[in-house]
Amino acid sequence: MADRPSEGPRSGADEGEGAGPSSSISDDEWKKFVEDAEREAASAPKEPSARARMVTERLRQQEARGELPPGWRTGPAWQEMDGRAARRRRRWAILGVPLAVAVAVVAVRPSLIPGDPFGTADSSPQGVSASPLPAETAAPTAAPGAADPAVPTVARPFAGSPAERWADGEAGIALPKATPVGTLSKGQVEQALRQTRKLLVDANLDPATLRGERPETALGVIEPRQTELLDLLTTALRKPDKDHDPLSMFSRFDPDEVRLAGAVVKTRGRMTFKAGEHASVVVHADYTFVYPLVREGSTEVARTIIRRVVDTELSDPTRYQVTSGKIAVLRYDQEIGNSACDVYDGYLHPHFDSTAPTGAPPTGPTTDPYDRSKDIDADRAEGCGTVSRT
């Protein structure tokens, strides 16, 4: 504890010599003096840390040399395709943020620099805990709110994404309770639901499919009499091009380019059913899948977001010539966020912040890939747009 100051001025070369009478101040006055001094010290302006000054100066020098990146999360990203007709597609690239904002954020939180060069990010496997969302039972009325601003890491690949609270993989594809529909029994309706789920799982979650192998299970549940569809998909898998794109139904990544960051793909959506027009039950599935990805030799994480809407039908085999237990695909539409525009090699190509964009430049509108409140519009014109987040 510091000594109390004495009252009255002091003078002379000898600091220990008093210049006049002195008396002690009261305890209350001394307490008030100490509290005022502490408040002044706390409110004094603080100099930026050495690390913040270093980052700011490095970015300033890069800007002077013209080496700064074009923006925050820029690059190609989103596609839409009508699976029923001419395979039209619309893609979106990632939206840029003004550089000044990015510099300000980095100066305050160096851990937000891609790759976390200072090692300040949360390295625990769980990171910030997030309570899981309940299952989706109806169409959302709006896009999900902003998530925490954390940068994704291998330990926490969904950080900063609404998908962090979504279900893992197959757990996100829950079947509704089956009931009889028309001439179809509860068991037949349940079969249509299970086969639709099997199609979705194999097409979008199976590790073999994701690394580019043939999705035998998904193809096996489709009605063999749908020869035109099966021929199209077979050609797309064997020799993809603009008119035969396997991405119209299957999620595939080039294993020589990227791999999943961990074993989890986040899933959210719902499945419903109703009576069809041909003594049948029609199943409507609307799901979004979020894939965290890394490149070989790198820990930078990028996410690709795919929303798929699939309608299937199971008809009464006593009234129509159908294959028992198989489902007909009536519709398959998609929207894909963060994949290179106008690339038709049969693989999704996510953009990473540390690399230059590939594919055609975006020209279309900005879209939120997590917004499940709007229907996929199959009649939109072709084009490549921009996503607001990944």
Side-chain angles (χ1 to χ4, degrees):
M1 184 174 179
D3 293 333
R4 295 184 181 181
S6 60
E7 290 183 332
R10 300 180 62 86
S11 63
D14 184 359
E15 293 182 359
E17 182 182 355
S22 65
S23 63
S24 299
I25 66 176
S26 69
D27 289 340
D28 289 342
E29 290 174 325
W30 171 245
K31 179 179 179 182
K32 183 176 185 301
F33 170 83
V34 172
E35 290 175 348
D36 290 342
E38 290 176 346
R39 278 195 299 271
E40 292 176 1
S43 61
K46 294 182 176 59
E47 190 177 14
S49 68
R51 182 167 58 189
R53 294 197 303 272
M54 177 182 69
V55 172
T56 303
E57 176 61 19
R58 186 176 66 184
L59 293 173
R60 187 191 65 77
Q61 294 174 359
Q62 288 179 326
E63 183 175 16
R65 295 193 300 266
E67 296 177 357
L68 280 181
W72 181 252
R73 292 192 177 277
T74 59
W78 179 283
Q79 87 176 13
E80 176 274 331
M81 178 180 298
D82 178 4
R84 296 166 297 174
R87 302 301 183 270
R88 293 185 296 269
R89 64 173 57 201
R90 171 171 293 194
R91 294 175 181 246
W92 285 263
I94 301 173
L95 180 66
V97 174
L99 178 63
V101 176
V103 172
V105 171
V106 171
V108 176
R109 294 184 61 190
S111 64
L112 294 186
I113 299 176
D116 191 22
F118 301 108
T120 56
D122 184 358
S123 60
S124 66
Q126 299 301 322
V128 178
S129 61
S131 57
L133 291 174
E136 185 176 288
T137 57
T141 57
D148 70 85
V151 172
T153 64
V154 174
R156 230 185 119 200
F158 299 100
S161 163
E164 190 166 36
R165 300 180 61 197
W166 292 7
D168 295 352
E170 296 184 33
I173 307 179
L175 300 183
K177 183 178 180 180
T179 58
V181 171
T183 61
L184 299 177
S185 67
K186 174 183 175 181
Q188 289 172 310
V189 172
E190 192 172 63
Q191 184 180 47
L193 294 171
R194 288 198 308 267
Q195 294 292 75
T196 303
R197 184 179 191 270
K198 190 179 295 186
L199 171 65
L200 290 169
V201 169
D202 192 52
N204 300 283
L205 297 172
D206 185 85
T209 301
L210 295 182
R211 60 177 177 261
E213 297 182 19
R214 183 178 172 85
E216 296 289 359
T217 300
L219 295 171
V221 303
I222 298 175
E223 168 61 64
R225 296 173 184 271
Q226 284 194 285
T227 56
E228 183 178 354
L229 170 63
L230 291 171
D231 288 346
L232 185 149
L233 294 175
T234 299
T235 300
L237 291 165
R238 185 180 66 250
K239 190 177 180 180
D241 58 32
K242 184 174 182 180
D243 296 321
H244 304 85
D245 192 346
L247 302 180
S248 62
M249 186 168 296
F250 309 116
S251 300
R252 309 166 82 240
F253 298 90
D254 186 345
D256 294 330
E257 179 182 343
V258 295
R259 58 178 174 81
L260 284 180
V264 174
V265 174
K266 290 292 186 176
T267 307
R268 185 157 184 81
R270 65 194 182 282
M271 191 181 298
T272 58
F273 64 92
K274 65 180 181 179
E277 298 178 357
H278 309 101
S280 62
V281 58
V282 173
V283 178
H284 176 76
D286 183 342
Y287 289 90
T288 299
F289 304 90
V290 182
Y291 303 90
L293 303 150
V294 294
R295 295 165 296 169
E296 190 66 34
S298 173
T299 59
E300 182 184 5
V301 177
R303 289 187 290 256
T304 291
I305 303 100
I306 305 179
R307 182 182 177 188
R308 296 194 184 274
V309 175
V310 178
D311 290 346
T312 65
E313 183 178 46
L314 187 145
S315 298
D316 186 342
T318 66
R319 301 185 60 180
Y320 289 91
Q321 291 184 347
V322 294
T323 305
S324 179
K326 303 297 183 180
I327 52 175
V329 178
L330 305 182
R331 171 194 179 190
Y332 57 110
D333 292 332
Q334 64 162 333
E335 288 181 334
I336 297 179
N338 193 15
S339 183
C341 297
D342 299 335
V343 176
Y344 304 103
D345 62 355
Y347 293 114
L348 297 156
H349 296 280
H351 169 71
F352 291 81
D353 290 338
S354 62
T355 61
T358 59
T363 58
T366 299
T367 303
D368 183 352
Y370 292 97
D371 187 356
R372 297 182 37 78
S373 65
K374 301 178 179 66
D375 291 333
I376 293 180
D377 185 356
D379 295 325
R380 285 178 296 192
E382 295 184 18
C384 180
T386 304
V387 292
S388 58
R389 54 180 172 175
T390 61

